[in-house]
Amino acid sequence: MHHNNQFVKKTKKGQIRKVVREHYLRDDIWSGTPLDEECEASAHKLSASASHYLVIDTNIALHQLDFLEHPAITDVVVCSVVLEEVRHKNSAAYQRLRALCASDAKRFYVFANEHHRETFIKSEAGESPNDRNDRAIRVATKWYADRLAGRMEVILLTNDSGSRRLAEEEGVRAIGAASYVRLLRPDATELLDMVAAGTVVEEDPEEEDGGAPVRSAKRKRIYEEHKTFSEVQAGIREGRFHQGALRVNRYNPYEGYVGSDSVGQDILLAGRSHMNRAMDGDIVAVELLPESEWRGPSSKLPGQGKATGGGSDAAEEEGNEEEDVGAGAEPEVFQVGPPDDPSVLAQRAGEEAKQPTGRVVGIISRNWRSRGYCGSLKPPSAHARPLHGASNVLFLPVERRYPAIRIQTRQADSLMDKRLVVAIDSWPSDSTHPLGHYVRTLGTIGDKDTETEVVLIENDINTSPFTPAVHECVPTLPWRVTEDHLAQPGRTDLRHLPVCSVDPPGCKDIDDALHVRPLPNGNYELGVHIADVTNFLRPGSAMDVEAAARATTTYLVQRRIDMLPKPLTEDICSLRGGEERLTFSVLWEVNDNAEIQSTKFTKGVIKSRAALQYAEAQSRIDDPRLQDEITLSLRTMNKLAKILRRRRAERGALQLASPEVKFTIDTETHDPLDVGMYQVQEANQMVEEMMLLANVSVAEAIAHHFPSCSLLRRHPVPAPRQFEPILQAAAAVGLTLDVSTSKSLAESLDAAVRPEDPYFNKLVRILSTRCMTQALYFCSGDHAPHEFLHYGLASPIYTHFTSPIRRYADVMVHRLLAAVLQLESLPETARDREGLRAGADNLNKRHRNAQLAGRASVELHTLIFFKDRTVHADARVTKVKANGLIVFVPKYGIEGPVYLTPRADGNSNSGPSSSSNNKAVAESAFVLDEKKQTVVSRDGSVRYRVFDPCAVRIHVEEGYGHRRQLVLELISREQLQEAEQMVA
Amino acid sequence: MEYVTPEGLRIDGRRPKELRRLDCSLDVLQSADGSAVFQMGNTKVLAAVFGPHEVEVRNQMKEDKAIIKCEYAMAAFSTGERRKRGKSDRRSQELSLVIKAALEQTVMVELLPRTQIDVYVQVLQADGGTRVAAINAAVLALASAGVPLRDLAAGCAAGYLEGHSLLDLNFQEDSAGGPDCSIALHPNSDRLVLLQMDSRLPMDTFEAVLNLAQDGCRAVASFMRQRLLEHTRKLAMARGAVRA
């Protein structure tokens, strides 16, 4: 049967157009239950022995996903109209709902009601699309109920009381989510906490049995109402409002920036009311304040003089939540790493001056995480009532850039010392905090595994084990090279070459090996051999899909989350010593001066002579007694690498520095035993140089053959503005850095030395590195060739080819190179720009998340390391503030605030009045000179300048319910023992 | 955009390998020697055939066969947006040639030397697949004009979106930018008379899409044959040659 859908549409140009689309109605859409004789057996999904079937409406699907995902909720009918609506409203929710429908255990059946002859309805005159869709869901429910009458109860789950009433009139049982759990699911009480907040209001008050508070209409409005979508659009068109993505201060959820093209500069949003419920990542519409109200960001360390913990809880229970900024505003000691995110950059750049300041008038799209936020409950105050029954509690996310979330739970007592996941449901204008609901418990706060889980969830890293379908793609062990492999087209037998690998200690996934040998004509043959992962990872296979989604292996301090299954990474692909392995090799002929004469790419088979560690390779190079083949080739390689390195430096390659630290981990408990700076040896640099050479050669080859769809990696030239923080700091100590080109910067960095402080140079390098943006993967068709430049490496073109075991980018590049050699055709996703762009975006995101997770893991282990010890350490001032300093401790790679004045919350007994006194004292005690980057005490006795050496005591402060925090305190340098002073 | 749901339904409710509903009527114009309206879903095409008649431009005349002139045009009202579309824009010109080439292989031109056959194709409603619908309409009109045909030429399109081979794309699916393979087939001799595809496809996928389109052509051809037989029977009954 057939029906034409007609509707009228307004085009972008403003024309009104009638659209006619065909809509076929079918008789072969089944109910999906074995109770229905007509239903085809292949369509059976719902269980015959379920106690009832649920039909959900769109709002349940959109807002109660955590509830639906609970294992206790099974046998649900999802109408296609619901799916369609969810898809239009929230694509993340749609993905989750689809995943539920695909799961066999959940038994969610998709009923295509819109194409079913008996359940399709036309909208009636005057009926809104929403009402029509609600009616369609009721009609479908009724159809199920009639079909299964007497054999199975069918219940419509909806929080819309109007729809419930209409359903009852039509003879269909309808119920709200909260009442459903209370009345029908006594087996799963945990479910009640997972029913999303906010929507509870929509349920009839008489059904509420006291648990949930009904928000009274009288509650005062705290935030300005958001403007409607059309008002916002009109405002943006007229130039009154500015649209942009909000980036929130890492430490303060109520300070953020909106990058706006229309203003040409970041707009500052400061304070709760100006932020007006916007959160990090939201696309917002901002109205600029009059210029007289413009300001700069706070020049103080936050947290000073504010009552944290203390009496704020009491105030809150009286409904006065205004003052409760809570612990959220306090800076934390953190691990520093390579470039920070742009928000921090922008913030540093514009620090001193006033800048455009605005307020949020509307939120165009929310960026709430559907996977939820990790954190813990706010500890109760000493005199709080004991918690019983359902109670409202505040949840503090671990990420300080998110505000506290109000949730309702019946398990508050038992959850106090736990890490939880909470999802946000709504943020009405009469609530200080967003409203959310409990999703699940991760474990006890401070526990290493729990906290690691937090790190992984926060960075959206998939840790679930590989599915059986993925494991099926892996060849069975023991695996060995066979004649078939040697007979593959384009595969060369390279087993006679003296190949060896050089890797960090404990490396099991060896993806690169090297060789060099003299040629009769006096030149050298240089080879880089990379594990041939794409031989096993076929495009489109389950393993490929999974690897593409994970995009990278994540390295945590004590754990590795693999991109590929273990048998592949540690055995079949790993180029282990003495074993024959498949490779993708790059072979060059180079002359004595390391100039490339010719380049050849080939698939190969190698037999690595030895898998060396860096230190081992280094001692072989250094030990003149050793004259074996491997050692000789290592020496030649080292010689060539040095030439290459020098030439690269001449081109202007930057020697960047990152404060990486290395933990020594107890093999039994996995607790950190010691921590120290990462040592770089000559052998590291040799391998690095060879890899760079291979990457550049491959990049040239693929970009030449596929000019518009190659995957490359670029590092943009930083804008001069980005260097402002380091220039300002350097100027204060009389150092000038020339940032005009990478070469001039490299030279001025080399010249930045202080005879009295051997660490000074590295510190300047670290701070300059932080000013740069990150390197990114991109599709070559998206940028002009001059933008391919890799600034840090001073290479006009670059890509990643050498680590396919742990990076998916390299896998994509391997496939491109195989296509260049005409060995294989490109997979479909790599053939056009759109596909490649989507791939590159995912790579960048995952890569960044993996880095952040790695850093967070180091931070966590630092905290564990300092748990039972107090250490004095050498430190350097990296920033001065009016009431304190930010110091960097090179030995442990941590950076954090120290306060020059006693912290107000240090003496926790003091009430708000005394802390404000402290504040006054703090303000008068020290004077900040922004220009000279110096802070001097009033009497002139104490003076700190940026880059100054200082000394700190590091210890861990234990808070309520295992909440720990690393604390730095300034001590005099004399207290530092000789051995702890830094030597370079 | 999701063009095929995991349940296997397309946006308009068809399954991937289903044609849209087909309809046609023959001899719809009195002035033409043969005419037909062919409908595939919401695509509706009118074709009118004049001839065989004397060749208008003498030097175009072929001593050994008939020449076919073809003119494809879209009505201004055929798409949602009303736009004057001539018969001389590039797209129409290209389609005229494509249709002409397919018809030249179908008509037994060698039986009609020194003549000309005019085929006018007018798209009344466009919803994807106009070129194959035009061929189908033209072939029906030729048949109703009594022009000798080697075989029916039936056209059908197939495409490939999101990993599914889809038969008979409508406008929405066609605008997705995926490969769209239009073919016309002589069903009895299994000979392709038209094969056009934009965008690229790997060989093995292409084979699958092509096979699907051929199956579509056979289904269209059997529908056309049945309608032609019904029409002829009706004509015969009107003349009293056959009794009901």
Side-chain angles (χ1 to χ4, degrees), chain A residues 933-949:
Chain A
Q933 290 281 302
T934 313
V935 60
V936 191
S937 62
R938 280 257 180 256
D939 53 13
S941 62
V942 189
R943 149 191 295 274
Y944 287 102
R945 198 162 63 157
V946 69
F947 296 122
D948 274 353

Side-chain angles (χ1 to χ4, degrees), chain A residues 548-559:
Chain A
R550 296 191 181 209
T552 176
T553 292
T554 306
Y555 291 88
L556 302 184
V557 172
Q558 84 287 20
R559 187 173 160 197

